[in-house]
Amino acid sequence: MLNNSLLALLPFAALASAHTIFQQLYVNGASPGHLVGIRYPTYDGPITDVTSNDVICNGGPNPLVTPYSQVVIPVPAGSTVTTEWHHTLDSAGTNDPADPVDASHNGPIMTYLAAVPNATQTSVTGLKWFKIYEDGLDSNGQWAVQRLIANKGKVSFKIPSCIANGHYFLRHELIALHAAQGYPGAQLYMECAQIQITGGGSASPATVSFPGAYKGSDPGITYNLYNGQKTYTIPGPRPFTCDGSGSDPGNPGQSTTSIPTTTTTVPSSTTSAPQATQTKYGQCGGTGWTGPTVCAAGSTCKDVSPPYYSQVC
């Protein structure tokens, strides 16, 4: 059992090797590149005020690099998305002991989406967000951050297959609880990726606002990591699912009901088999792509950030 004097020192010791940044997005294993399509800061610091606009996509004490990337990453509905975190913008592949994040920074990891007219727009305020992924403390006492570290900074989850096509901000968040015994203390790390959902449906998930989704008194925001608690309540709503179960797939410590996904049948190479076509604005090629490569009538397959993606024009 830790005594009070040692407990008081732990958060400050942890701060010395702190922090992390979400800085790369992969779609079905392919990425447009490091920092491409992501709004990111050069400083890896946290946001601790859950009532601040800085909790939306970062900023404030961690100024975002401008001008923002003009790349909007194509993401087929139902696809597997992987995020990659590192301690600093250049710590990947180094011997940095705090890469991808210091081991003291245990806590949950979450992902939200917000529909926008244009994912390159400057403003991020006033948006309506819905959660699609969460991972916290599992029944073995392991935290989402521990799984992230074991996976060298990567976290994978699925995009619901039923959500509407269009531009979105993808808000990916890690909350470190090593100093969260009082408020403000929890350290929130988040960045937003600019994406375009294709091949989706017409679902209208319930939404929350940032700021507003979290309160300082929430048990997932004010939490003592050192007193032996065996449970943890992840802040915010439960993840949206197409089947309405409110569960999240592949998420240790959470419900494991699967989200239905869209399966594309790849045509055989024989000349007698009909060849599948991709709808307008759908992905039609790129590294790792196994779906249709022929565009619907009136469209052609055009490279966007080659060689990773091609997109119907």
Side-chain angles (χ1 to χ4, degrees):
M1 179 68 67
L2 296 170
N3 61 43
N4 289 337
S5 60
L6 180 57
L7 180 62
L9 291 173
L10 278 170
F12 300 101
L15 286 172
S17 56
H19 310 338
T20 190
I21 302 172
F22 156 44
Q23 51 194 271
Q24 191 155 348
L25 188 73
Y26 300 78
V27 182
N28 290 330
S31 171
H34 183 236
L35 302 175
V36 176
I38 296 175
R39 302 186 180 195
Y40 62 93
T42 56
Y43 178 62
D44 58 353
I47 302 299
T48 58
D49 180 1
V50 299
T51 68
S52 167
N53 282 340
D54 300 330
V55 82
I56 304 173
C57 290
N58 213 331
N62 317 307
L64 298 178
V65 173
T66 57
Y68 298 138
S69 173
Q70 293 300 295
V71 173
V72 179
I73 304 171
V75 179
S79 61
T80 297
V81 170
T82 301
T83 60
E84 185 169 350
W85 296 78
H86 288 289
H87 180 196
T88 66
L89 295 181
D90 57 3
S91 62
T94 70
N95 293 321
D96 182 348
D99 190 73
V101 63
D102 191 86
S104 66
H105 284 39
N106 281 330
I109 296 172
M110 295 163 279
T111 304
Y112 294 81
L113 294 177
V116 289
N118 188 327
T120 64
Q121 68 187 46
T122 301
S123 176
V124 297
T125 59
L127 303 178
K128 301 300 182 183
W129 299 86
F130 59 97
K131 185 187 286 185
I132 62 168
Y133 172 82
E134 64 179 21
D135 185 13
L137 179 67
D138 71 14
S139 58
N140 295 317
Q142 295 290 307
W143 286 94
V145 167
Q146 291 174 299
R147 287 182 277 279
L148 175 145
I149 293 172
N151 204 33
K152 301 186 185 303
K154 291 184 177 180
V155 178
S156 295
F157 49 89
K158 283 190 176 292
I159 299 295
S161 61
C162 61
I163 60 174
N165 296 340
H167 284 216
Y168 289 82
F169 289 138
L170 183 151
R171 178 185 181 274
H172 192 53
E173 175 181 38
L174 181 157
I175 301 180
L177 300 170
H178 57 287
Q181 299 96 318
Y183 178 81
Q187 296 185 354
L188 282 66
Y189 301 88
M190 79 297 296
E191 276 75 41
C192 290
Q194 303 167 171
I195 68 171
Q196 180 181 9
I197 301 292
T198 61
S202 58
S204 298
T207 60
V208 296
S209 298
F210 282 103
Y214 306 157
K215 300 188 298 294
S217 59
D218 287 346
I221 299 296
T222 299
Y223 181 87
N224 192 329
L225 193 64
Y226 310 106
N227 69 355
Q229 293 190 61
K230 303 297 184 183
T231 60
Y232 173 77
T233 302
I234 298 174
R238 300 289 63 80
F240 167 78
T241 61
C242 293
D243 63 6
S245 65
S247 57
D248 193 42
N251 181 1
Q254 310 299 324
S255 175
T256 56
T257 303
S258 296
I259 292 176
T261 58
T262 301
T263 302
T264 301
T265 302
V266 179
S268 67
S269 59
T270 60
T271 56
S272 60
Q275 190 169 14
T277 60
Q278 180 59 283
T279 58
K280 191 173 184 180
Y281 302 118
Q283 186 176 356
C284 57
T287 302
W289 178 247
T290 59
T293 58
V294 176
C295 302
S299 300
T300 56
C301 199
K302 180 180 178 182
D303 286 339
V304 177
S305 298
Y308 299 99
Y309 297 105
S310 295
Q311 184 178 356
V312 176
C313 295

